[in-house]
Amino acid sequence: MKILNKIFSFAATAGALLAFSSCASESIDYPSESGLADASQYTINVTVNQETNEWSASAVSPSGSTKGVRLLWTIYENGTDKKPTVKIADGVAGQIRAKGDYPIELQVMNHAGLSRTIASSTIHIENNLGGDAFMGYDYDSPSNLWKNCSITPSYWFANSGWGQIDTPAIDLTNEEISFTCPSDMGGDQWQGQVHLSTNIPVEASKTYDFSIFINPSADAVVTVKVQKDGDDNTFFVADKIDFVAGGNFYHFANLPGFDGNLNLTLDFAGNANKSFVIQNVVFMEHNADNNTIKLPDTPDCKWVSVDSEQNLWNDAKYTIESWTSGAGWDGDVANPDVVEEGNSILLTYNQAPGVDQWKAQFKLKSDLSLDASKSYDYRVTLGSTSTFYGATIKLTNGADDAFYVDPRVNLYANGDLTFGFANLTGKQLDDVMLVFDFGGCPAGTTITIKDIIIQEHQDK
């Protein structure tokens, strides 16, 4: 993870320390190698908390005292192939997320200058912080388009009644964003918006990788939307992500692009008074060595087979309803042709619907009821002959006034994606309705909805 540090050049640092006070040229005490300290005689003591990966280091001199000298530390906390952190301090400390051995070196400065010898030790980290979770792409990679991009920020914070409130003080650089959410910020999505417009060009003919590290002062849910600048309906992802105190990464890989510039939108609604540090933003053209596409079908449950008696959808009776509109909201676009084949439903849009959400609604209205006292899992597979952004999946009741999930997802040409949601509980859903929206799909697109599973929750 890229951490902000001020890097001093050895020459500049040593020069500054030699000039302890202003004096006439005839009184300068020029350095002499014969008076240099021998840093190799110093001992570096390193301690590591292997539960938090926090470490600290101090030095012990041969005499037991460091009076009259300054200690110059070089810490390779990002690996020996990355720029090290250099600090002048009696002791140093930090936190390293990835397991491994990290060199730490010490030089000693006195009135004669900077020692030619060094003391060295190792910071040994036994485990990745948070287990073997994804640890982010390389911020310092020359492929990282974010590192040197121009960022134009805009902010919009609101109270629970959607009245705009003052924007908090936000420190922003490419490497780090930090702020504390207002105490009067609301809890509904999009009541704590941070928009970072960039000059990064994205091309529809290419695919891209992305990672971000968010560290909240307390566990938090943050919306991460990586989108086309100036177009809320064209995006890579728009996901609500759980971030834990201490921080974790979110990423995707090998997602198809669009023609336009990149905008990173983050929403912190529901996190009043919490502080956030955002680091390690990486956006780059896809590298085959990076992780494959991260799909949402990884819930913590055991799925029954589609044709199982435990799949509640198999016994449900349903009717189909469509509503499709163009640029306006008058339903002036032809509904799709619908063909049912076994566990699959195929929709062909001969005319292109409008790009806004809910311009191409498709509903499966059933007689199934879900009991508020029970927990359920829901899974569906979607396929498309075209790539488009912002399809909607919604599990709701017949009146559409109580629902479990309604995420927006991207669909990609000629590739099925399975979306799963586990351990849904606490709501009475009568006459369950599966609602889909395919607003923005091109004319001629055929969409497949298949392998629907609704089951009482089963642990793995």
Side-chain angles (χ1 to χ4, degrees), residues 163-174:
Q164 186 172 2
I165 60 176
D166 290 339
T167 297
I170 297 178
D171 293 326
L172 169 66
T173 68
N174 292 55

Side-chain angles (χ1 to χ4, degrees), residues 95-109:
Q95 184 182 50
I96 297 175
R97 302 194 61 79
K99 62 184 177 183
D101 291 317
Y102 300 86
I104 181 170
E105 298 173 349
L106 173 70
Q107 289 176 279
V108 180
M109 291 178 285

Side-chain angles (χ1 to χ4, degrees), residues 138-457:
D138 182 5
Y139 181 89
D140 288 318
S141 167
S143 300
N144 183 11
L145 301 173
W146 181 273
K147 183 176 180 181
N148 296 308
C149 76
S150 296
I151 301 173
T152 303
S154 60
Y155 312 107
W156 193 83
F157 288 78
N159 56 30
S160 58
W162 293 97
Q164 186 172 2
I165 60 176
D166 290 339
T167 297
I170 297 178
D171 293 326
L172 169 66
T173 68
N174 292 55
E175 293 185 342
E176 182 175 289
I177 306 155
S178 60
F179 67 97
T180 298
C181 289
S183 60
D184 53 344
M185 183 179 66
D188 292 334
Q189 189 179 32
W190 307 123
Q191 290 182 338
Q193 301 177 38
V194 173
H195 300 272
L196 305 175
S197 176
T198 78
N199 63 344
I200 298 174
V202 182
E203 299 179 27
S205 61
K206 298 178 180 180
T207 62
Y208 295 86
D209 306 331
F210 169 83
S211 71
I212 188 171
F213 178 82
I214 297 182
N215 180 4
S217 57
D219 293 356
V221 176
V222 177
T223 299
V224 179
K225 185 174 184 180
V226 187
Q227 67 175 86
K228 180 178 179 179
D229 194 31
D231 183 354
D232 287 339
N233 291 303
T234 300
F235 53 88
F236 288 103
V237 292
D239 295 336
K240 288 184 177 181
I241 306 299
D242 292 318
F243 291 97
V244 299
N248 54 277
F249 284 92
Y250 169 78
H251 81 291
F252 63 71
N254 201 23
L255 293 188
F258 44 75
D259 290 322
N261 283 357
L262 182 77
N263 182 298
L264 173 59
T265 294
L266 304 171
D267 179 63
F268 298 90
N271 296 300
N273 295 315
K274 294 179 184 177
S275 297
F276 289 86
V277 177
I278 298 97
Q279 297 170 315
N280 205 88
V281 179
V282 177
F283 182 80
M284 57 187 171
E285 292 181 19
H286 177 59
N287 183 331
D289 292 333
N290 289 342
N291 294 8
T292 56
I293 181 171
K294 182 182 179 184
L295 301 180
D297 184 29
T298 55
D300 189 18
C301 68
K302 177 181 177 181
W303 295 104
V304 302
S305 62
V306 174
D307 57 0
S308 168
E309 293 182 357
Q310 294 175 286
N311 181 5
L312 305 177
W313 187 252
N314 284 335
D315 292 330
K317 296 180 177 60
Y318 64 84
T319 57
I320 292 175
E321 180 179 297
S322 298
W323 184 86
T324 313
S325 190
W329 292 94
D330 49 6
D332 57 343
V333 172
N335 288 324
D337 295 335
V338 180
V339 177
E340 295 187 73
E341 297 179 350
N343 291 322
S344 300
I345 303 172
L346 283 71
L347 321 177
T348 299
Y349 285 87
N350 297 305
Q351 291 180 267
V355 298
D356 296 322
Q357 187 181 28
W358 306 123
K359 288 288 181 68
Q361 301 177 33
F362 183 79
K363 302 176 181 179
L364 302 178
K365 307 176 76 170
S366 80
D367 60 354
L368 178 65
S369 291
L370 302 183
D371 194 323
S373 65
K374 297 180 180 180
S375 297
Y376 298 91
D377 309 319
Y378 170 45
R379 191 171 81 172
V380 62
T381 297
L382 300 180
S384 174
T385 58
S386 303
T387 295
F388 67 99
Y389 306 92
T392 303
I393 302 169
K394 187 173 185 178
L395 172 61
T396 184
N397 64 359
D400 199 15
D401 58 7
F403 65 92
Y404 273 128
V405 296
D406 67 340
R408 298 188 72 185
V409 301
N410 298 329
L411 299 181
Y412 304 103
N414 303 315
D416 290 347
L417 296 180
T418 299
F419 302 91
F421 311 90
N423 206 18
L424 308 172
T425 189
K427 295 184 179 180
Q428 182 70 36
L429 299 188
D430 294 322
D431 300 324
V432 164
M433 184 164 58
L434 306 185
V435 180
F436 304 90
D437 178 70
F438 303 110
C441 72
T445 298
T446 296
I447 293 166
T448 303
I449 303 170
K450 67 179 183 179
D451 297 343
I452 296 169
I453 297 175
I454 299 177
Q455 63 182 39
E456 290 191 20
H457 177 65

